[in-house]
């Protein structure tokens, strides 16, 4: 009985062991078939091995299945080695491309500086510039050593410029046919010119007291000299110049440029010799100055502070882009330089958000007859992005004796007469401009702007009424409106069409108007 039980238990144990072996064999067979099916092309062979044969023992089947799994594993290892080799080749190609780009000279920055761009537009423009650089890369590398500019100081110097051709059709007479700013009674004109071409030098110098140094200068051919027959070709004129020391948030500088109280200028490719809206609310005059600026980073914003000394020239005569200066300017005769300052608050970390600023200007003057008077101005400026494609810019002012800054109708002061004396009175003035920019694409923009310069009529009337011989030599009011389209098919080419309307008033006269249609084509280098 016990022996039968033991025999039964043994049979059961043997049966269980057999079932376990069969189950393990089935699992190994299934795993081998699936592995061979996925990872090796010898699926048919593995499948045939996996099929149990009645004449083969369990050990033979197990060996064949083990061999099939080993073969699949070997093929998997081969695939992994191939993938690692491809990754190495891809990494080497990336390093080679980066090295080639670092050797190629940097291309000029894209024109003209305009804000409110979307990241997708910037990426598209960058891609086009990369393609242009790659097309020119072989020639640039081959000639790099022969064309580089060598300086006495051995520090980097870059030559830049804008070869600008423009034409304008004026329906009535204007001051300068190539770049008119006010209307004159008389017939119209048509002008073709390259005088607004700009040449520039940009330099970087050594560090001093922990600050990086830099300098730049810009000249054009828009001066008018005594040889009037050469005026169509133009004479060389210094436009702007800068030199400065830059710390993290502070810059000390000397410059010939716009006053600190007028940080912005309207956008135009047709009006370059004299900036757009000059003498119509734009305090555009380039004046020598020395100063310092400092920025205070705040939470996602910045506070900007700037102040400096400035030397303002005498106002030019009507129709002149440059002044043959007298032996001594009125500001020089006073023996005190002028001052100007600006404080602004800008939102955003990269200077792309809205910004509002307040400015002030004060400068003592003395006439050739030793009569002292003061020039001053208070200003308000605004930059307001509206979405990703629209930007609003504006600058307004109120002051006295602003002829040297490009306002006041070309006049600093007027005289009032009594029965026995003549009293000098600085001419009060108010004006400003505003521009709306729409930039649907990175290389296409539309601009519309309006500006006005309005000397006080009461000052002019009192001056004329108090003397039977006194006349007013300036403009009593000047207004300009324009709209333009600027298209840049590449980083180096610029095309523009512009319509401008001028309204000019003289003392005691009617309004003179002129329609100006201008075309511009430029090559930036």
């Amino acid at each position: 009985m016990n022996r039968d039980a033991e025999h039964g238990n043994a049979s059961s144990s043997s049966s269980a062991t057999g079932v376990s072996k069969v189950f393990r064999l089935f699992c190994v067979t299934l795993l081998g078939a699936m592995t061979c099916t996925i990872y090796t092309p010898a699926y048919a062979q593995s499948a045939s091995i996996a099929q149990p044969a009645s004449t083969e023992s369990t050990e033979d089947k197990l060996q064949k299945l083990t061999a099939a799994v080993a073969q699949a594993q070997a093929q998997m290892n081969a695939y992994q080695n191939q993938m690692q080799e491809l990754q190495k080749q891809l990494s080497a190609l990336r390093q080679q491309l980066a090295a080639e780009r670092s050797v190629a000279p940097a291309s000029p920055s894209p024109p003209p500086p305009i804000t409110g761009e979307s990241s997708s537009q910037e990426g598209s423009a960058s891609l086009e510039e990369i393609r242009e650089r790659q097309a020119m890369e072989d020639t640039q590398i081959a000639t790099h050593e022969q064309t580089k500019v060598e300086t006495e100081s051995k520090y980097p110097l870059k030559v830049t410029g804008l070869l600008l051709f423009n034409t304008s059709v004026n329906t009535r007479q204007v001051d300068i046919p190539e770049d008119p700013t006010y209307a004159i009674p008389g017939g119209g004109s048509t002008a073709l010119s390259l005088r607004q071409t700009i040449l520039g030098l940009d330099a970087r110098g050594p560090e001093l007291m922990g600050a990086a140094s830099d300098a730049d200068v810009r000249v054009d051919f828009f001066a008018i000299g005594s040889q009037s027959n050469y005026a169509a070709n133009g004479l060389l004129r210094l436009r702007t110049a800068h030199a400065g020391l830059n710390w993290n948030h502070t810059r000390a500088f000397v410059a010939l440029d716009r006053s600190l109280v007028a940080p912005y200028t309207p956008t135009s490719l047709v009006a370059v010799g004299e900036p757009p809206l000059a003498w119509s609310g734009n305090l555009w005059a380039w004046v020598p100055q020395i100063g310092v600026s400092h920025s205070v980073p705040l939470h996602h914003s910045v506070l900007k502070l700037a102040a400096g000394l400035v030397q303002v020239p005498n106002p030019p005569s009507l129709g002149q882009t440059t002044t043959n200066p007298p032996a001594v300017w009125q500001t020089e005769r006073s023996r005190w330089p002028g001052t100007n300052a600006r404080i602004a608050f800008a939102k955003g970390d990269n200077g792309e958000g809205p910004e509002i600023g307040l400015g002030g200007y004060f400068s003592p003057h003395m006439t050739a007859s030793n009569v002292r008077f003061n020039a001053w101005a208070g200003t308000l400026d605004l930059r307001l992005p509206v979405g990703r494609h629209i930007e609003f810019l504006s600058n307004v002012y109120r002051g006295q004796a602003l002829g040297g800054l490009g306002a006041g109708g070309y006049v600093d002061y007027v005289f009032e007469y009594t029965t026995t004396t003549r009293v000098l009175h600085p001419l009060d003035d108010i004006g400003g401009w505003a521009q709306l920019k729409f930039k649907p694409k990175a290389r296409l923009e539309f601009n519309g702007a309006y500006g006005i310069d309005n000397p006080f009529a009461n000052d002019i009337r009192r001056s004329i009424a108090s003397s039977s011989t006194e006349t007013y030599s300036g403009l009593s009011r000047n207004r300009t409106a324009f709209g333009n389209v600027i298209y840049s098919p590449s980083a180096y080419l610029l095309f523009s069409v512009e319509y401008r309307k001028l309204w000019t008033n003289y003392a005691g006269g009617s309004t003179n108007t002129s329609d100006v249609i201008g075309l511009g084509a430029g090559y930036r280098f």
Side-chain angles (χ1 to χ4, degrees), residues 413-417 422-425 462-464 466 470:
Y413 58 86
V414 293
F415 288 106
E416 295 182 15
Y417 291 85
R422 185 178 71 167
V423 179
L424 184 147
H425 179 73
R462 284 200 303 266
S463 173
I464 298 175
S466 61
E470 185 72 23

Side-chain angles (χ1 to χ4, degrees), residues 140-176:
Q140 289 176 335
I141 294 175
T143 61
H144 177 62
E145 291 299 324
Q146 289 76 19
T147 59
K148 68 179 182 180
V149 179
E150 183 175 356
T151 65
E152 183 69 23
S153 65
K154 306 301 181 183
Y155 285 98
L157 178 67
K158 182 173 67 173
V159 178
T160 65
L162 176 66
L163 179 63
L164 181 60
F165 169 81
N166 72 287
T167 177
S168 61
V169 177
N170 311 295
T171 59
R172 300 296 301 272
Q173 187 174 348
V174 293
D175 57 334
I176 306 172

